[in-house]
Amino acid sequence: MLTLFHQPLCPHSRFIRLILGEYGLEARLVEERFWDRRDQFLILNPAGTLPVLIDEGQPPVPGAAIIAEYLDETRGQAEPLLPRDPGERVEVRRLASWFNDKFHAEVSGPLTTERIFKRYMTAEQGGGPPDTDAIRVARHNIRYHLAYLGWLVRTRNYLAGDRMSFADLAAAAHLSVADYLGDVPWSEDDAAKNWYARVKSRPSFRPLLTDTLAGVAPATHYANLDF
Amino acid sequence: MLTLFHQPLCPHSRFIRLILGEYGLEARLVEERFWDRRDQFLILNPAGTLPVLIDEGQPPVPGAAIIAEYLDETRGQAEPLLPRDPGERVEVRRLASWFNDKFHAEVSGPLTTERIFKRYMTAEQGGGPPDTDAIRVARHNIRYHLAYLGWLVRTRNYLAGDRMSFADLAAAAHLSVADYLGDVPWSEDDAAKNWYARVKSRPSFRPLLTDTLAGVAPATHYANLDF
């Protein structure tokens, strides 16, 4: 039995939910208010971050990249989302890290912190009104990432090569959160938009499209497969 | 033939140099002034960060964690620094990420940026006098990391278990940069200090101890194995 500690609009958690869906794995989802820094949660992951996967009989698996590697090693034999060739693995990991680390630092991290998580935090936890400068910078940055993504998928079937991989799921997970908030300028890049429409129409994506947050309505086109 | 684009006091580059040393691999070292954002370097790694490993006939391998996985997969068969058991791999990757990501964000990143790299950058590149607040916060943060490291090695032979692994090399690489700058309060934790003395005395560490930077002399005890 798998359990995933997550937040519905945490992009790293969504990346893992997509992997679970693609591998056909059921997991119990537990919403963790990570900003509360619960003692029992810090025992599972001393870093205090999401997501954390629990696979009974194994140590807790913390962090998007580490969970992805773990699921590939223990559940990914039939249809791997990480290729077997060392050079191809580099490209998948490079682009997964691009979105999990760089895009998160420049776009999806500031957007989720300022527009979502700060609503739930106390002042001591860092809550309060959103920093509009941080949001403005994130909305500026996303345009460069969208252009890079479009440039990649104009020459490749999927982000890191011929087949769908962790790279596509990481990119789509982070974009999906910005899209929920209406912060993706899709009209700027048709190739990126078409790639996202393909990933978004996969069955693994459906649970993400029904997530809603009290007080933060999704953009009108968010759940629309033909946006 | 391997080539590593690096900076002598970049902790992520040092992590890879330690792995190369432990695996007995020779690599040509090329100093990259990453803040110049050279076009030819951005072709190797569009993210513009260090380190980058070139293994002829393969795509460039960017980033400390991705290079470590690549070297394990292609060169680590005899004496793996990443164990073979999935649960043990989680703990090694968790702690390697702790130092490559969390310790870097809270300690070694601010220290190297403020005390070293900003000396070489132009004003447009972000250069200038060090931000003394950032340095003060980093010196405050390192104490918690040192206590956590000491707590781990009081119950384990090495950081992630019985055997030396990527976790030890990542931790030692990041600490070595803070140690060069005289910013590690070793007297606060004997267990951490003893662990570091063991890793520091390995042959793979020797090249790091002879690195010196014009204008930034190492702490007097830096190269001393009995510090």
Side-chain angles (χ1 to χ4, degrees), chain B residues 9-12 34 99-118 134-135 138 174 177-178 181:
Chain B
L9 288 188
C10 158
H12 293 117
F34 62 89
F99 286 92
N100 281 329
D101 300 321
K102 188 174 172 65
F103 186 89
H104 183 256
E106 297 173 3
V107 180
S108 55
L111 288 180
T112 48
T113 298
E114 300 303 329
R115 299 196 58 192
I116 300 169
F117 299 138
K118 276 171 91 169
I135 294 172
H174 286 266
V177 176
L181 296 168

Side-chain angles (χ1 to χ4, degrees), chain B residues 145-167:
Chain B
H145 287 280
L146 204 65
Y148 183 50
L149 198 158
W151 178 77
L152 288 169
V153 293
R154 269 189 287 277
T155 58
R156 300 169 173 186
N157 194 23
Y158 283 99
L159 210 48
D162 288 341
R163 298 185 48 174
M164 196 179 69
S165 72
F166 285 153

Side-chain angles (χ1 to χ4, degrees), chain A residues 11-12 15 64-65 91-110 141-153 156 159-160 165-176 178 184 186 192 195-196, chain B residues 47 66:
Chain A
H12 293 117
F15 171 47
E91 184 66 352
V92 169
R93 286 177 173 140
R94 178 180 82 82
L95 288 166
S97 163
W98 185 285
F99 287 92
N100 281 329
D101 300 321
K102 187 174 173 64
F103 186 89
H104 185 256
E106 297 173 1
V107 180
S108 55
N141 291 339
I142 196 173
R143 303 174 62 197
Y144 298 95
H145 287 278
L146 204 63
Y148 183 50
L149 199 159
W151 178 77
L152 288 169
V153 292
R156 300 168 173 187
L159 211 48
S165 72
F166 286 153
D168 300 276
L169 302 184
H174 286 265
L175 279 165
S176 76
V184 186
W186 290 118
W195 162 87
Y196 185 67
Chain B
I66 297 174

Side-chain angles (χ1 to χ4, degrees), chain B residues 87-99:
Chain B
E88 293 177 19
R89 291 165 83 81
V90 167
E91 185 64 352
V92 169
R93 285 177 173 141
R94 178 181 81 83
L95 289 165
S97 164
W98 185 285
F99 286 92

